[in-house]
PDB file of all heavy atoms in Angstrom:
ATOM      1  N   GLY T  39     -10.949  -6.194  11.607  1.00 84.00           N
ATOM      2  CA  GLY T  39      -9.865  -5.851  12.522  1.00 84.00           C
ATOM      3  C   GLY T  39      -9.862  -4.385  12.894  1.00 84.00           C
ATOM      4  O   GLY T  39      -9.639  -4.030  14.064  1.00 84.00           O
ATOM      5  N   ALA T  40     -10.111  -3.510  11.924  1.00 88.00           N
ATOM      6  CA  ALA T  40     -10.137  -2.076  12.198  1.00 88.00           C
ATOM      7  C   ALA T  40     -11.266  -1.717  13.159  1.00 88.00           C
ATOM      8  O   ALA T  40     -11.084  -0.903  14.074  1.00 88.00           O
ATOM      9  CB  ALA T  40     -10.283  -1.295  10.899  1.00 88.00           C
ATOM     10  N   VAL T  66      -0.709   9.176  11.287  1.00 94.00           N
ATOM     11  CA  VAL T  66       0.230   8.048  11.231  1.00 94.00           C
ATOM     12  C   VAL T  66      -0.146   7.100  10.091  1.00 94.00           C
ATOM     13  O   VAL T  66       0.715   6.610   9.342  1.00 94.00           O
ATOM     14  CB  VAL T  66       0.239   7.283  12.571  1.00 94.00           C
ATOM     15  CG1 VAL T  66       1.061   6.005  12.456  1.00 94.00           C
ATOM     16  CG2 VAL T  66       0.779   8.173  13.681  1.00 94.00           C
ATOM     17  N   GLN T 110      18.463  25.318  -5.299  1.00 96.00           N
ATOM     18  CA  GLN T 110      17.411  25.296  -6.305  1.00 96.00           C
ATOM     19  C   GLN T 110      16.047  25.535  -5.656  1.00 96.00           C
ATOM     20  O   GLN T 110      15.854  25.328  -4.459  1.00 96.00           O
ATOM     21  CB  GLN T 110      17.397  23.947  -7.026  1.00 96.00           C
ATOM     22  CG  GLN T 110      18.659  23.659  -7.825  1.00 96.00           C
ATOM     23  CD  GLN T 110      18.852  24.628  -8.959  1.00 96.00           C
ATOM     24  OE1 GLN T 110      17.926  24.935  -9.713  1.00 96.00           O
ATOM     25  NE2 GLN T 110      20.082  25.143  -9.104  1.00 96.00           N
ATOM     26  N   LEU T 139      14.899 -13.272 -12.206  1.00 94.00           N
ATOM     27  CA  LEU T 139      15.197 -13.448 -10.790  1.00 94.00           C
ATOM     28  C   LEU T 139      14.013 -12.987  -9.936  1.00 94.00           C
ATOM     29  O   LEU T 139      13.248 -12.108 -10.342  1.00 94.00           O
ATOM     30  CB  LEU T 139      16.445 -12.652 -10.405  1.00 94.00           C
ATOM     31  CG  LEU T 139      17.770 -13.137 -10.985  1.00 94.00           C
ATOM     32  CD1 LEU T 139      18.883 -12.137 -10.665  1.00 94.00           C
ATOM     33  CD2 LEU T 139      18.123 -14.517 -10.438  1.00 94.00           C
ATOM     34  N   SER T 141      11.774 -10.955  -7.493  1.00 95.00           N
ATOM     35  CA  SER T 141      11.793  -9.526  -7.149  1.00 95.00           C
ATOM     36  C   SER T 141      12.354  -9.306  -5.754  1.00 95.00           C
ATOM     37  O   SER T 141      12.913  -8.245  -5.462  1.00 95.00           O
ATOM     38  CB  SER T 141      10.381  -8.943  -7.248  1.00 95.00           C
ATOM     39  OG  SER T 141       9.465  -9.689  -6.446  1.00 95.00           O
ATOM     40  N   PRO T 176      13.621  28.512  -1.855  1.00 95.00           N
ATOM     41  CA  PRO T 176      12.599  29.249  -2.619  1.00 95.00           C
ATOM     42  C   PRO T 176      11.432  28.320  -2.981  1.00 95.00           C
ATOM     43  O   PRO T 176      11.643  27.163  -3.360  1.00 95.00           O
ATOM     44  CB  PRO T 176      13.351  29.707  -3.879  1.00 95.00           C
ATOM     45  CG  PRO T 176      14.789  29.671  -3.500  1.00 95.00           C
ATOM     46  CD  PRO T 176      14.946  28.559  -2.511  1.00 95.00           C
ATOM     47  N   SER T 180       4.626  27.368  -0.919  1.00 96.00           N
ATOM     48  CA  SER T 180       3.625  26.748  -1.789  1.00 96.00           C
ATOM     49  C   SER T 180       3.686  25.224  -1.672  1.00 96.00           C
ATOM     50  O   SER T 180       2.644  24.549  -1.695  1.00 96.00           O
ATOM     51  CB  SER T 180       3.857  27.177  -3.244  1.00 96.00           C
ATOM     52  OG  SER T 180       5.156  26.818  -3.679  1.00 96.00           O
ATOM     53  N   THR T 188      -2.478  21.836   7.031  1.00 94.00           N
ATOM     54  CA  THR T 188      -3.541  21.183   7.794  1.00 94.00           C
ATOM     55  C   THR T 188      -4.902  21.725   7.359  1.00 94.00           C
ATOM     56  O   THR T 188      -5.003  22.834   6.829  1.00 94.00           O
ATOM     57  CB  THR T 188      -3.375  21.410   9.308  1.00 94.00           C
ATOM     58  OG1 THR T 188      -3.353  22.823   9.571  1.00 94.00           O
ATOM     59  CG2 THR T 188      -2.084  20.776   9.810  1.00 94.00           C
ATOM     60  N   ILE T 189      -5.920  20.917   7.592  1.00 94.00           N
ATOM     61  CA  ILE T 189      -7.305  21.298   7.283  1.00 94.00           C
ATOM     62  C   ILE T 189      -8.090  21.234   8.580  1.00 94.00           C
ATOM     63  O   ILE T 189      -8.104  20.197   9.257  1.00 94.00           O
ATOM     64  CB  ILE T 189      -7.915  20.348   6.237  1.00 94.00           C
ATOM     65  CG1 ILE T 189      -7.091  20.373   4.946  1.00 94.00           C
ATOM     66  CG2 ILE T 189      -9.368  20.713   5.957  1.00 94.00           C
ATOM     67  CD1 ILE T 189      -7.516  19.329   3.940  1.00 94.00           C
ATOM     68  N   GLY T 193     -12.639  22.665  14.284  1.00 90.00           N
ATOM     69  CA  GLY T 193     -11.614  23.299  15.088  1.00 90.00           C
ATOM     70  C   GLY T 193     -10.368  22.474  15.310  1.00 90.00           C
ATOM     71  O   GLY T 193      -9.414  22.949  15.937  1.00 90.00           O
ATOM     72  N   LEU T 215     -10.301  -2.182 -10.339  1.00 93.00           N
ATOM     73  CA  LEU T 215     -11.615  -2.771 -10.546  1.00 93.00           C
ATOM     74  C   LEU T 215     -12.326  -2.307 -11.808  1.00 93.00           C
ATOM     75  O   LEU T 215     -13.283  -2.962 -12.246  1.00 93.00           O
ATOM     76  CB  LEU T 215     -12.509  -2.470  -9.325  1.00 93.00           C
ATOM     77  CG  LEU T 215     -11.962  -2.946  -7.975  1.00 93.00           C
ATOM     78  CD1 LEU T 215     -12.896  -2.525  -6.850  1.00 93.00           C
ATOM     79  CD2 LEU T 215     -11.766  -4.463  -7.972  1.00 93.00           C
ATOM     80  N   THR T 246       5.413  -1.138 -14.845  1.00 97.00           N
ATOM     81  CA  THR T 246       4.522  -0.046 -14.433  1.00 97.00           C
ATOM     82  C   THR T 246       4.218  -0.119 -12.945  1.00 97.00           C
ATOM     83  O   THR T 246       4.169   0.906 -12.250  1.00 97.00           O
ATOM     84  CB  THR T 246       3.221  -0.082 -15.237  1.00 97.00           C
ATOM     85  OG1 THR T 246       3.521   0.007 -16.633  1.00 97.00           O
ATOM     86  CG2 THR T 246       2.299   1.068 -14.847  1.00 97.00           C
ATOM     87  N   TRP T 256       8.080   8.553  -3.729  1.00 98.00           N
ATOM     88  CA  TRP T 256       8.407   9.967  -3.978  1.00 98.00           C
ATOM     89  C   TRP T 256       7.426  10.881  -3.261  1.00 98.00           C
ATOM     90  O   TRP T 256       7.836  11.879  -2.633  1.00 98.00           O
ATOM     91  CB  TRP T 256       8.375  10.243  -5.480  1.00 98.00           C
ATOM     92  CG  TRP T 256       8.235  11.684  -5.825  1.00 98.00           C
ATOM     93  CD1 TRP T 256       9.202  12.639  -5.801  1.00 98.00           C
ATOM     94  CD2 TRP T 256       7.026  12.347  -6.231  1.00 98.00           C
ATOM     95  NE1 TRP T 256       8.691  13.861  -6.173  1.00 98.00           N
ATOM     96  CE2 TRP T 256       7.352  13.715  -6.447  1.00 98.00           C
ATOM     97  CE3 TRP T 256       5.717  11.922  -6.449  1.00 98.00           C
ATOM     98  CZ2 TRP T 256       6.398  14.650  -6.858  1.00 98.00           C
ATOM     99  CZ3 TRP T 256       4.762  12.843  -6.855  1.00 98.00           C
ATOM    100  CH2 TRP T 256       5.121  14.191  -7.055  1.00 98.00           C
ATOM    101  N   GLY T 276      13.650   0.220   7.000  1.00 88.00           N
ATOM    102  CA  GLY T 276      12.877  -0.698   7.826  1.00 88.00           C
ATOM    103  C   GLY T 276      11.374  -0.597   7.635  1.00 88.00           C
ATOM    104  O   GLY T 276      10.627  -1.484   8.061  1.00 88.00           O
ATOM    105  N   VAL T 283       3.273  -5.799   5.437  1.00 90.00           N
ATOM    106  CA  VAL T 283       2.353  -6.341   6.432  1.00 90.00           C
ATOM    107  C   VAL T 283       0.995  -5.662   6.329  1.00 90.00           C
ATOM    108  O   VAL T 283      -0.050  -6.315   6.422  1.00 90.00           O
ATOM    109  CB  VAL T 283       2.936  -6.181   7.850  1.00 90.00           C
ATOM    110  CG1 VAL T 283       1.913  -6.587   8.893  1.00 90.00           C
ATOM    111  CG2 VAL T 283       4.196  -7.023   8.001  1.00 90.00           C
ATOM    112  N   SER T 298      -6.650  -6.141  -2.455  1.00 91.00           N
ATOM    113  CA  SER T 298      -7.525  -4.978  -2.542  1.00 91.00           C
ATOM    114  C   SER T 298      -6.777  -3.735  -2.095  1.00 91.00           C
ATOM    115  O   SER T 298      -6.046  -3.761  -1.096  1.00 91.00           O
ATOM    116  CB  SER T 298      -8.761  -5.191  -1.661  1.00 91.00           C
ATOM    117  OG  SER T 298      -9.440  -3.993  -1.400  1.00 91.00           O
ATOM    118  N   GLN T 313      -0.644   1.790  16.885  1.00 89.00           N
ATOM    119  CA  GLN T 313       0.550   2.511  17.332  1.00 89.00           C
ATOM    120  C   GLN T 313       0.198   3.640  18.285  1.00 89.00           C
ATOM    121  O   GLN T 313       0.820   3.791  19.345  1.00 89.00           O
ATOM    122  CB  GLN T 313       1.297   3.060  16.123  1.00 89.00           C
ATOM    123  CG  GLN T 313       2.607   3.758  16.478  1.00 89.00           C
ATOM    124  CD  GLN T 313       3.408   4.120  15.239  1.00 89.00           C
ATOM    125  OE1 GLN T 313       3.404   3.409  14.254  1.00 89.00           O
ATOM    126  NE2 GLN T 313       4.095   5.258  15.289  1.00 89.00           N
ATOM    127  N   PHE T 329       2.405  -6.918  18.394  1.00 80.00           N
ATOM    128  CA  PHE T 329       1.131  -6.878  17.681  1.00 80.00           C
ATOM    129  C   PHE T 329       1.355  -6.929  16.170  1.00 80.00           C
ATOM    130  O   PHE T 329       0.555  -7.504  15.436  1.00 80.00           O
ATOM    131  CB  PHE T 329       0.357  -5.608  18.057  1.00 80.00           C
ATOM    132  CG  PHE T 329      -0.251  -5.655  19.416  1.00 80.00           C
ATOM    133  CD1 PHE T 329       0.196  -4.814  20.428  1.00 80.00           C
ATOM    134  CD2 PHE T 329      -1.274  -6.542  19.711  1.00 80.00           C
ATOM    135  CE1 PHE T 329      -0.354  -4.855  21.693  1.00 80.00           C
ATOM    136  CE2 PHE T 329      -1.843  -6.596  20.977  1.00 80.00           C
ATOM    137  CZ  PHE T 329      -1.386  -5.753  21.971  1.00 80.00           C
ATOM    138  N   ALA T 332       1.909 -10.579  15.347  1.00 83.00           N
ATOM    139  CA  ALA T 332       0.671 -11.339  15.569  1.00 83.00           C
ATOM    140  C   ALA T 332      -0.356 -11.045  14.478  1.00 83.00           C
ATOM    141  O   ALA T 332      -1.024 -11.953  13.966  1.00 83.00           O
ATOM    142  CB  ALA T 332       0.092 -11.005  16.942  1.00 83.00           C
TER     143      ALA T 332
END
Side-chain angles (χ1 to χ4, degrees):
V66 172
Q110 296 296 314
L139 292 172
S141 55
S180 58
T188 57
I189 301 172
L215 303 177
T246 302
W256 161 78
V283 173
S298 163
Q313 184 172 325
F329 285 113

